[in-house]
């Protein structure tokens, strides 16, 4: 079976030790977490982990089974890129002088659909959201001018199909 | 009328009803009491029905031990000589009694010494709650004396763990710990309690946990899959059952027996499932796996339907997965959804508690006998008996075999003993040749293969089933890993029978060295002390047998004794355990010699 990208979505209780427990499952099978994001979800008091890995579907399925087994995990799903709407965010910190000296930079800002978050005497910050390759491309364009700092977030994703967590929670509560 | 002043109703029934009503009222009102966190822990244990725990005190758990001192009439604490011993004793207790075993330790090294037992209980699905002390909250993360991140360390080897830093959390977390340890697929839970939380006072009210919202312990059985399984059973020509510990944990022994008898299906067991059905049952065809019986292994690749019940297709059971039961339809009865299609792909998965699913299945299966198919197992048994079994249990050579010792124990105990084994050759021989009439009687370290398990586990097993004979069978290697627990046996006069099968080697590793490493016996020759003298040092009656003529009488004497008894049997130094499926080979390639 071929390796491909999978986005794993984990709905869970908000618990201190859970991240450790979940990351251990990947560690056991020697699978690198390519990207990780933890946030609140659409349901009150329910957290959502979004984890991206490159693995075979068979292994991904087994890993998701192991994750779902953890006491504080309500439900875990895995999806291919085609089945999700996903984005990453990046921040570029660049010397302010360049904004005036290099006309090309203004074109990059416009063409890349990025936003200027702040401008100070010494530097300005660009924010860009999009697919990984779009951010990489912008990075490539800005690199020759000098990037003072760069950071990119983990992937965040929603699925095209429904993830019925509320119903599941109600079912658990009835038991 | 004020409470307590009205005359009791006439008759016993009336009185009982009155008491029940009062109890209910108390439960509803649940008046809280003002106590320390440490005392709260004791009340939690009592509320969970715990009357026995194993452990070892130390700085960070001292407030709890102080309360144990005050509650010693209600709660017996057994001081093991090492924290690992406490976990295995709790496991032994849990495995024979079906209750939750409890172990306690201090922070730091006390806590890390629990790790092997936790891992063992995790892989063998044993319900256990471990309580550890921890440095006070304000010192957490400061590398304080005896501080260790036991939550981080124990995470991969626990079903659940939690650190309590406030006394107010104690009742709810403890209730959850017991619920999680026991429910669904059981497992170990570790609760780490900072010292400040043990000193703090709380208004204590206890309510048992009946559910955790993110946790579904027992999947609901799906009638569709049960019907599909029944159809496969009814159409199969060569159906075959392999059952595991899930049958014992689910208390589905009677249901399994009813199924095999009605549908006439030969059934084999994993070592964790052994004793669920009596050894003498005509449809019990024996043991699967690396050193299992010939027929059950080889015929796995001839059956047309494999019913796996409460087992997880461990690699020691399946050998090479590429050649395992490929010709058969597979139905997997399992409580843990993560086990489905993990190692072997199931045509049908029947999720749920085995007792429940087998009960639903039973009326749907047709009566059958499958005599020709069953005869195949008998034929293979004959082959195995002539080449292996006969020489193991009725040897003609001079040296004593492990098999004949087990056979003498069977005879002397009339197949009624709980057999507790360690890990290695003696374990495989004991699992192969011990005979059982009752369930929950074969206590061994299956998944983890923990040397040092047997002696402390036997202590727990005896205390969990005081009316039963408990015989620990241990190799000379594993015995020395937890030999210090003889101190517990001596101190409390726990009447366990300890049999060390001494071949002066780490026998199983030596066997592999002989077969796969050209007899280079790297670090497997044991230079052993005088085991009899050591037992005598603990004032335990002890004997050594080196010759066949003394074996029967000594084993009988040991079983007849109502005190602790140590027996060392000097067995053949370089015997091998056969049959054997070499690591990574197919079940079809099982070797008889």
């Amino acid at each position: 079976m071929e390796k491909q990208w999978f986005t794993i979505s984990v709905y869970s209780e908000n618990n201190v030790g859970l991240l450790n427990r979940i990351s251990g499952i990947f560690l056991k099978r020697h699978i690198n977490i390519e990207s990780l994001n933890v946030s609140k979800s659409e349901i009150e008091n329910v957290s959502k982990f979004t984890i991206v890995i490159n693995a075979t579907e068979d292994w991904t399925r087994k890993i998701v089974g192991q994750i779902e087994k953890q006491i504080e995990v309500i439900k875990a799903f895995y999806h291919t890129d085609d089945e999700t709407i996903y984005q990453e965010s990046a921040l570029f910190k660049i010397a302010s002088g360049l904004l005036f000296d290099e006309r090309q930079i203004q074109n990059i800002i416009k063409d890349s659909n990025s936003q200027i978050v702040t401008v100070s005497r010494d530097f300005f910050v660009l924010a860009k959201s999009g697919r990984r390759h779009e951010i990489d491309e912008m990075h490539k364009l800005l690199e020759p001018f000098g990037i003072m700092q760069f950071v990119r977030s983990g992937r965040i994703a929603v699925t095209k199909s429904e993830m019925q967590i509320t119903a599941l929670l109600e079912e658990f509560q009835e038991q | 009328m004020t409470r307590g002043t009205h005359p009791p109703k006439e008759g016993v029934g009336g009185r009982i009803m009155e008491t029940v009503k009062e109890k209910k009222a108390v439960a509803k009102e649940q008046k809280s009491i003002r106590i320390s966190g440490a005392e709260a822990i004791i009340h939690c244990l009592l509320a969970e029905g715990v009357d026995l725990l194993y452990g070892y005190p130390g700085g960070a758990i001292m407030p709890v031990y102080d309360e144990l001192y005050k509650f010693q009439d209600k709660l017996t604490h057994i001081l093991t000589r090492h924290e690992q011993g406490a976990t295995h004793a709790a496991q032994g207790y849990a495995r024979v009694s079906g209750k939750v075993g409890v172990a306690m330790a201090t922070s730091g090294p006390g806590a890390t010494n629990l790790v092997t037992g936790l891992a063992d209980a995790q892989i063998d699905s044993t319900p256990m709650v471990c309580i550890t002390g921890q440095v006070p909250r304000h010192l957490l993360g400061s590398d304080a004396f005896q501080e260790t991140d036991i939550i981080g360390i124990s995470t991969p080897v626990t079903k659940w763990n939690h650190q309590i830093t406030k006394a107010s959390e104690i009742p709810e977390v403890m209730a959850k710990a017991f619920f999680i340890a026991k429910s669904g697929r059981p497992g170990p839970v570790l609760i780490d309690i900072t010292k400040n939380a043990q000193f703090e006072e709380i208004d204590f009210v206890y309510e048992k946990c009946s559910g955790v919202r993110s946790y579904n312990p027992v999947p609901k059985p799906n009638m569709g899959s049960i019907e599909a399984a029944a159809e496969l059973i009814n159409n199969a020509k060569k159906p075959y059952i392999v059952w595991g510990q899930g049958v014992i944990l689910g208390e589905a022994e009677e249901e399994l027996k009813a199924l095999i008898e009605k549908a006439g299906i030969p059934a084999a067991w994993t070592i964790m499932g052994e004793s669920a059905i009596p050894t003498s049952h005509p449809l019990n065809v024996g043991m699967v796996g690396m050193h299992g019986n010939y027929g059950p292994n080889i015929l796995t690749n001839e059956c047309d339907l494999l019913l796996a019940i409460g087992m997880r297709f461990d690699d020691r059971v399946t050998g090479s997965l590429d050649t395992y039961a490929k010709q058969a339809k597979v139905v997997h009865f399992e409580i843990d959804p993560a086990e489905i299609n993990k190692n072997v792909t199931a045509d049908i998965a029947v999720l749920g508690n085995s007792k429940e699913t087998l009960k639903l299945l039973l009326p749907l299966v047709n009566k059958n006998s499958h005599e020709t198919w069953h005869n195949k197992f008998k034929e293979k048994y004959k082959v195995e008996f002539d080449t292996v079994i006969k020489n193991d249990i009725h040897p003609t050579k001079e040296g004593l075999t492990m098999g004949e010792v087990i056979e003498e124990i069977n005879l002397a105990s009339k197949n009624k003993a709980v057999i507790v084994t360690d890990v290695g050759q003696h374990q495989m021989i004991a699992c192969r040749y011990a005979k059982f009439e009752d369930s929950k009687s074969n206590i061994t370290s299956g998944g983890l293969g923990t040397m040092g398990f047997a002696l402390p586990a036997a202590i727990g097993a005896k205390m969990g089933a005081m009316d039963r004979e408990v015989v620990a069978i241990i190799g000379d290697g594993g015995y020395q890993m937890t030999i210090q627990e003889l101190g517990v046996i001596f101190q409390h006069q726990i009447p366990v029978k300890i049999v060390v099968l001494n071949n002066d080697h780490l026998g199983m590793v030596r066997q592999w060295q002989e077969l796969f490493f050209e007899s280079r016996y790297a670090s497997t020759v044991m230079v052993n002390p005088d085991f009899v003298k050591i037992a005598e040092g603990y004032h335990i009656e002890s004997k050594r047998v080196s010759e066949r003529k003394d074996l029967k009488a000594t084993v009988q004497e040991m079983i007849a004794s109502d005190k602790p008894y140590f027996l060392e049997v000097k067995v053949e130094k370089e015997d091998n355990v056969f049959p054997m499926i070499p690591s990574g080979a197919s079940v079809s390639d099982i070797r008889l010699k």
Side-chain angles (χ1 to χ4, degrees):
Chain A
M1 235 190 271
E2 230 174 87
K3 282 190 183 179
Q4 53 174 323
W5 293 97
F6 288 101
T7 302
I8 298 173
S9 310
V10 183
Y11 287 84
S12 74
E13 303 291 355
N14 185 1
N15 176 284
V16 206
L18 190 57
L19 176 60
N20 198 3
R21 209 166 253 284
I22 290 174
S23 67
I25 294 166
F26 292 91
L27 175 68
K28 256 170 112 175
R29 286 186 182 255
H30 244 268
I31 289 186
N32 196 27
I33 294 177
E34 302 287 342
S35 146
L36 166 70
N37 185 82
V38 189
S39 73
K40 69 178 195 176
S41 72
E42 61 274 23
I43 304 145
E44 209 180 335
N45 296 324
V46 171
S47 301
K48 185 177 176 180
F49 292 73
T50 307
I51 303 163
V52 181
I53 60 166
N54 190 250
T56 63
E57 181 166 3
D58 184 42
W59 275 43
T60 306
R61 187 179 49 73
K62 286 173 186 172
I63 283 171
V64 167
Q66 297 293 337
I67 292 175
E68 211 168 78
K69 185 167 148 172
Q70 305 309 318
I71 303 293
E72 277 109 352
V73 170
I74 298 160
K75 183 83 186 158
F77 303 88
Y78 70 91
H79 293 93
T80 60
D81 287 357
D82 292 343
E83 295 164 338
T84 53
I85 316 292
Y86 60 94
Q87 284 211 333
E88 292 172 353
S89 289
L91 296 175
F92 298 82
K93 179 175 159 185
I94 296 163
S96 290
L98 293 171
L99 196 54
F100 307 104
D101 301 342
E102 299 282 352
R103 276 204 70 77
Q104 186 56 18
I105 291 228
Q106 292 192 23
N107 290 335
I108 295 171
I109 296 169
K110 256 185 266 164
D111 296 346
S112 65
N113 240 336
S114 56
Q115 296 145 345
I116 298 176
V117 183
T118 186
V119 185
S120 73
R121 191 178 297 276
D122 301 324
F123 64 86
F124 70 102
V125 175
L126 282 175
K128 163 73 187 159
S129 290
R131 295 285 178 95
R132 169 76 63 94
H133 70 91
E134 294 172 299
I135 292 168
D136 284 348
E137 212 160 286
M138 190 171 153
H139 188 276
K140 214 192 301 172
L141 292 172
L142 289 170
E143 206 170 18
F145 304 105
I147 299 169
M148 294 165 77
Q149 277 184 38
F150 170 75
V151 66
R152 189 181 60 218
S153 76
R155 174 186 288 195
I156 51 171
V158 289
T159 57
K160 293 174 184 172
S161 63
E162 205 179 342
M163 293 198 267
Q164 289 173 323
I165 294 303
T166 315
L168 242 174
L169 275 177
E170 278 166 9
E171 198 181 301
F172 283 169
Q173 238 140 9
E174 274 167 27
Q175 283 178 354
Chain B
M1 196 186 280
T2 48
R3 217 167 166 197
T5 56
H6 65 95
K9 283 182 187 167
E10 288 304 310
V12 180
R15 273 172 195 242
I16 289 173
M17 283 312 294
E18 208 60 31
T19 331
V20 170
K21 264 190 213 161
E22 277 196 16
K23 267 193 183 157
K24 270 192 183 159
V26 172
K28 252 191 186 169
E29 286 163 22
Q30 280 256 7
K31 276 196 202 123
S32 69
I33 43 170
R34 187 84 185 157
I35 51 173
S36 71
E39 191 181 339
I41 292 162
I42 308 294
H43 283 286
C44 294
L45 294 174
L46 293 173
E48 291 294 339
V50 176
D51 53 13
L52 174 68
L53 74 161
Y54 301 89
Y56 209 108
I61 193 76
M62 280 185 69
V64 178
Y65 271 83
D66 192 43
E67 294 301 330
L68 279 171
Y69 183 83
K70 297 175 197 162
F71 282 86
Q72 48 190 300
D73 56 326
K74 293 193 175 116
L75 198 48
T76 305
H77 175 272
I78 301 291
L79 173 72
T80 53
R81 269 44 173 180
H82 187 288
E83 290 87 351
Q84 184 185 347
T87 56
H88 296 327
Q91 286 182 280
Y93 174 83
R95 295 263 290 272
V96 295
S97 69
K99 293 193 252 180
V100 179
V102 181
M104 190 177 277
T106 191
S107 64
T112 55
N113 280 344
L114 301 176
V115 171
T116 304
L118 287 167
D120 196 284
Q122 170 85 339
I123 203 162
D124 281 347
S125 309
T126 306
M128 174 163 76
V129 170
C130 289
I131 298 164
T132 49
Q134 182 57 280
V135 301
R137 188 192 166 105
H138 73 276
L139 289 178
L140 283 173
S142 72
D143 303 323
F145 177 65
Q146 292 194 330
E147 181 192 4
T148 190
D149 173 18
I150 195 60
I151 294 297
I153 291 170
S154 67
T155 292
V157 293
T158 49
K159 186 174 173 187
W160 186 64
N161 60 7
H162 187 87
Q163 185 175 63
I164 292 175
T165 57
K166 292 194 295 268
S168 59
E169 292 177 77
I170 290 170
E172 200 190 326
V173 171
M174 289 291 287
K176 211 171 147 185
F178 277 87
F179 175 73
I180 290 169
K182 186 76 177 76
S183 58
R185 180 178 181 173
V189 170
L190 181 133
I191 304 299
D192 191 35
I193 309 174
T194 57
K195 202 170 179 181
N196 62 293
Q198 298 169 38
F199 280 126
E200 278 166 26
E201 289 206 330
I202 52 161
D203 295 317
F204 179 82
V205 187
Y206 195 75
E207 214 177 303
K208 272 202 167 194
C209 176
S210 58
V212 175
R213 84 165 180 171
S214 54
Y215 166 54
N216 182 19
V218 186
K220 275 202 196 96
N222 173 327
M223 219 38 226
S225 66
I226 292 171
E227 281 160 9
E231 199 186 328
L232 285 180
I233 294 170
N234 292 337
N235 291 325
K237 298 275 172 288
K238 295 186 277 182
Y240 176 42
I241 286 174
V242 177
W243 87 78
Q245 193 192 199
V247 171
I248 296 171
L249 293 169
E251 296 183 331
E253 293 93 341
E254 286 309 313
E255 287 74 10
L256 175 64
K257 203 165 130 209
L259 172 68
I260 64 173
E261 284 173 0
K262 185 175 181 191
I265 305 176
W269 37 269
T270 71
I271 61 168
M272 294 303 293
E274 184 170 14
S275 87
I277 302 240
T279 318
S280 58
H281 193 286
L283 284 163
N284 180 345
V285 293
M287 168 174 159
V288 292
M290 188 171 264
H291 294 287
N293 291 112
Y294 188 53
N297 276 310
I298 217 157
L299 295 172
T300 302
N301 281 353
E302 280 185 36
C303 68
D304 61 357
L305 174 65
L306 177 61
L307 303 165
I309 306 176
M311 58 84 88
R312 60 186 179 86
F313 295 109
D314 178 82
D315 59 278
R316 283 297 191 269
V317 161
T318 63
S320 159
L321 285 171
D322 297 336
T323 52
Y324 183 80
K326 289 293 178 197
Q327 80 296 339
K329 292 261 185 220
V330 176
V331 182
H332 197 174
F333 293 77
E334 177 57 55
I335 198 165
D336 177 1
E339 290 297 342
I340 304 295
N341 299 339
K342 188 181 84 176
N343 296 334
V344 170
T345 308
D347 295 279
I348 296 168
V350 181
L351 285 172
N353 174 296
S354 52
K355 190 179 187 78
E356 214 178 319
T357 51
L358 292 180
K359 233 182 218 165
L360 292 167
L361 175 73
L362 194 62
L364 307 179
V365 300
N366 298 338
K367 239 185 124 37
N368 216 326
S369 66
H370 298 294
E371 224 165 285
T372 332
W373 169 232
H374 191 208
N375 282 338
K376 280 210 153 190
F377 286 87
K378 289 183 189 157
E379 284 163 27
K380 301 285 180 206
Y381 181 80
K382 197 174 175 314
V383 173
E384 185 181 346
F385 185 87
D386 291 342
T387 43
V388 181
I389 300 172
K390 194 174 65 185
N391 300 325
D392 272 356
I393 60 177
H394 307 297
T396 48
K397 62 181 177 187
E398 199 190 332
L400 284 162
T401 67
M402 294 183 179
E404 66 184 310
V405 181
I406 306 296
E407 180 66 2
E408 288 303 341
I409 294 168
N410 287 336
L411 292 170
S413 66
K414 302 186 175 65
N415 307 339
K416 298 292 279 180
V418 173
I419 302 289
V420 186
T421 47
D422 215 75
V423 171
Q425 285 187 319
H426 74 276
Q427 175 193 32
M428 291 298 112
I429 294 288
C431 289
R432 284 175 56 78
Y433 298 123
K435 293 180 180 144
F436 297 103
E437 275 183 25
D438 309 296
S439 186
K440 296 195 175 86
S441 296
N442 185 46
I443 312 299
T444 193
S445 170
L448 199 68
T450 306
M451 287 173 71
F453 173 84
L455 188 64
I459 294 170
K462 183 69 197 178
M463 297 182 85
M466 284 305 277
D467 54 332
R468 300 194 62 189
E469 185 70 61
V470 174
V471 182
I473 295 163
I474 319 179
D476 48 308
Y479 182 53
Q480 292 178 80
M481 284 200 178
T482 47
I483 194 168
Q484 74 283 350
E485 304 308 340
L486 286 173
V488 176
I489 294 169
F490 159 57
Q491 183 184 344
H492 298 279
Q493 284 299 302
I494 298 164
V496 291
K497 314 298 163 63
I498 308 151
V499 179
V500 167
L501 300 178
N502 182 5
N503 57 9
D504 288 313
H505 280 87
L506 300 176
M508 188 58 92
V509 182
R510 190 213 53 78
Q511 175 171 344
W512 283 46
Q513 287 170 334
E514 180 186 329
L515 298 175
F516 312 118
F517 294 87
E518 294 167 330
S519 297
R520 289 186 295 275
Y521 294 160
S523 299
T524 45
V525 180
M526 295 292 278
V527 177
N528 284 321
D530 185 331
F531 290 126
V532 168
K533 276 205 176 130
I534 290 175
E536 278 169 1
Y538 285 97
H539 308 287
I540 295 170
E541 189 177 354
S542 45
K543 284 251 166 82
R544 177 182 297 114
V545 167
S546 317
E547 286 178 67
R548 184 162 294 126
K549 64 176 174 52
D550 304 323
L551 182 64
K552 185 183 274 294
T554 317
V555 169
Q556 281 171 348
E557 178 186 295
M558 171 183 81
I559 298 294
S561 166
D562 56 2
K563 293 195 175 67
Y565 194 107
F566 174 81
L567 170 62
E568 176 189 6
V569 183
K570 297 285 268 183
V571 294
E572 188 81 351
K573 284 184 193 288
E574 296 191 13
D575 264 352
N576 289 333
V577 185
F578 282 108
M580 179 179 192
I581 303 165
S583 186
S586 164
V587 286
S588 301
D589 297 332
I590 185 166
R591 292 169 56 173
L592 284 168
K593 52 189 165 190

